[in-house]
Amino acid sequence: MRKSNEEAAETRRAIVAAAADYIRRTGIAEASLSDVMAAAGLTHGGFYKHFRNREQLIAEALVAAGNASADMLGKVRAEKGRNAALDRYLSPEHRDAGTPTCPMAALGSEAARSSGKTRAAAVAVVEEMIDALAEDRFSGEARGEAMVDYATMIGAMTLARIASGTPLSEEILERARKRLRR
């Protein structure tokens, strides 16, 4: 029996969400279609009913993860201010999460080596994160400050994750928060 268009769309959303979580946890290269489909509670056989290829899924998953991260960061900044958003991002909870919130902190170097749709999706995520951080995204100065902030945040989170479980990790997060506060 065929699924309705609504059911098919819901299944597709579930696959993208599962892939977004999976790639942030394991990396892009490690995300096999079988593993992603199993994470979505589905069999590998149904994949091509929803996506042309693996790259399409990875690109959509990257954008979905980026949207969620930018929405969270933008919401915290709007409700509690810039420093609260920085504190949330540069927190031990974000560092220690099995599934990191920010796809660029989790996948940045892999995304940089990707091509085609995956790389384009990564660029879109970076743009969205910069917009979420910018006090006034239409101001060149505010956008420039947001770029530097985001670059510092990603670098600090990446280094803190590498050094996780050591005093260096805590120091990296604390110094980055201190440097970025205004």
Side-chain angles (χ1 to χ4, degrees):
M1 195 163 148
R2 286 183 55 91
K3 286 186 173 184
S4 71
N5 288 341
E6 188 175 306
E7 289 172 319
E10 183 54 40
T11 298
R12 190 176 207 286
R13 282 190 292 274
I15 295 168
V16 169
D21 286 347
Y22 200 85
I23 65 174
R24 285 179 292 159
R25 245 187 351 267
T26 66
I28 294 170
E30 295 297 317
S32 74
L33 293 181
S34 295
D35 290 340
V36 168
M37 292 299 283
L42 302 165
T43 63
H44 181 199
F47 175 82
Y48 291 101
K49 293 177 186 171
H50 300 281
F51 303 95
R52 285 185 296 279
N53 53 39
R54 180 181 178 277
E55 185 179 29
Q56 180 187 13
L57 172 61
I58 297 299
E60 289 186 30
L62 197 54
V63 168
N67 289 343
S69 186
D71 288 349
M72 180 276 300
L73 202 60
K75 185 176 182 180
V76 172
R77 184 185 54 74
E79 291 176 2
K80 298 179 181 175
R82 179 181 174 283
N83 287 343
L86 296 173
D87 288 348
R88 176 89 174 260
Y89 188 99
L90 294 168
S91 68
E93 293 79 20
H94 183 202
R95 178 200 58 211
D96 298 339
T99 302
T101 305
C102 179
M104 292 301 99
L107 305 166
S109 61
E110 266 192 285
R113 290 187 300 272
S114 296
S115 61
K117 290 179 184 174
T118 302
R119 190 176 184 115
V123 171
V125 169
V126 170
E127 289 276 359
E128 187 172 6
M129 292 297 286
I130 290 167
D131 285 348
L133 281 170
E135 301 278 331
D136 175 4
R137 66 183 196 162
F138 300 109
S139 160
E141 185 63 28
R143 182 173 162 76
E145 287 176 11
M147 283 180 195
V148 172
D149 291 351
Y150 188 49
T152 302
M153 292 161 63
I154 289 173
M157 184 53 63
T158 301
L159 294 174
R161 289 180 61 125
I162 290 167
S164 186
T166 71
L168 176 61
S169 180
E170 296 298 326
E171 184 179 3
I172 290 167
L173 292 177
E174 180 58 36
R175 288 188 181 264
R177 283 191 303 266
K178 191 175 185 179
R179 174 62 58 111
L180 292 172
R181 286 179 183 270
R182 288 190 202 116

